[in-house]
Amino acid sequence: MRIFLLVVGTHLALWAHPHFFIDTTLRIESDRIVHEWMFDTLNSKLLLFEFDTNHDHLLDEREEKNFLDAHFYPLQSNHFNLVLQKGDQDERIEPLHVKANVVDKRIVILFTTLFSPTQPSIVCTIDGTLYSAYTLQNVQSVFAIETQKSNYDFCLGVTP
Amino acid sequence: MKKLLLLCLLVYRLFAHPVSYTIDLHVSYNENEKSVTVACESDSRNKCGLHDFHLLNAKDETLTTASFPFMKPNTTVACSEKPAKMIFYLRQIPEHTYTVIVE
């Protein structure tokens, strides 16, 4: 039975898209943005089933690395689902201090991007490949912001 | 049993796809200004900003190419003649296109 389910699951994986609902919190500081991505409860359960190999409901160092290697760093090809535009120019996106942990049974990714909006700028968290939905839960900013959000993504106009 | 349930949920998750959105495009040409205004309406307007567009003449020659801006309902670009067609495409996935015939 177990083998049957694995075969079915593997077969379906060839045809289907993975997807995640991610609650997002941003803190925009003068020279950086701190991002917090909290995965939904169901996907967190499934991901912990896969990556929490010692079943302690936490991600230890090795489990955290395996998780980030599978579900965060591959997003580099899609600019980590971020758009940072200063004026009309796209900024290079390089996440720093990337961490993953578990809070209230939900997986959370924390990271920082360097960004100094010296002119009107745009900050978006959006998956152009349509696999993930990002919901803006909270934003703190040292600059004036204008928010445009849907159930799937959000953009902030940042005015220094 | 718990593992079986999780496996079933995993299979269900692979089938489901919650992220869908609408795109409604309008193209108009201003003969006096020699400019084209492209409006993009969507239930997720941010998605409009992920797209670039080609304006083409009747021979399918590209007249101009531009990006649709984030956080704007429309954009205007200079164009020396009235385009016959617009191809609106995802920058990340250029094969993902919308085509608008300009009337």
Side-chain angles (χ1 to χ4, degrees), chain A residues 80-138:
Chain A
F80 296 97
N81 293 342
L82 298 174
V83 176
L84 303 180
Q85 285 183 345
K86 191 187 297 183
D88 293 331
Q89 298 298 313
D90 282 338
E91 295 283 293
R92 186 165 178 268
I93 294 167
E94 185 177 359
L96 304 171
H97 316 303
V98 182
K99 301 290 289 180
N101 54 31
V102 180
V103 177
D104 296 333
K105 299 181 179 179
R106 296 172 68 179
I107 292 182
V108 177
I109 297 176
L110 275 166
F111 63 96
T112 299
T113 49
L114 299 180
F115 189 57
S116 301
T118 51
Q119 53 183 302
S121 302
I122 300 286
V123 176
C124 298
T125 303
I126 183 168
D127 181 3
T129 63
L130 316 179
Y131 293 162
S132 300
Y134 293 90
T135 304
L136 180 62
Q137 294 296 331
N138 189 27

Side-chain angles (χ1 to χ4, degrees), chain A residues 5 12 16-17 19-21 43 46 49 78-79 83 124 126 128 130 146 148 150 152-155 157, chain B residues 3-4 6 9-11 13-21 43-47 50 70-71 90 92-93:
Chain A
L5 281 170
L12 291 173
H17 303 299
H19 69 269
F20 302 104
F21 292 97
N43 277 304
L46 293 166
F49 179 67
N78 199 32
H79 308 292
V83 176
C124 298
I126 183 168
L130 316 179
E146 175 192 358
Q148 180 173 287
S150 73
Y152 313 132
D153 46 56
F154 60 87
C155 288
Chain B
K3 288 183 178 178
L4 177 64
L6 281 167
L9 287 171
L10 180 62
V11 171
R13 186 181 71 141
L14 292 170
F15 261 125
H17 198 305
V19 181
S20 62
Y21 63 98
D43 56 355
S44 171
R45 198 203 299 163
N46 301 323
K47 292 285 192 310
L50 292 173
F70 283 99
M71 302 193 76
L90 265 176
Q92 296 285 339
I93 312 172

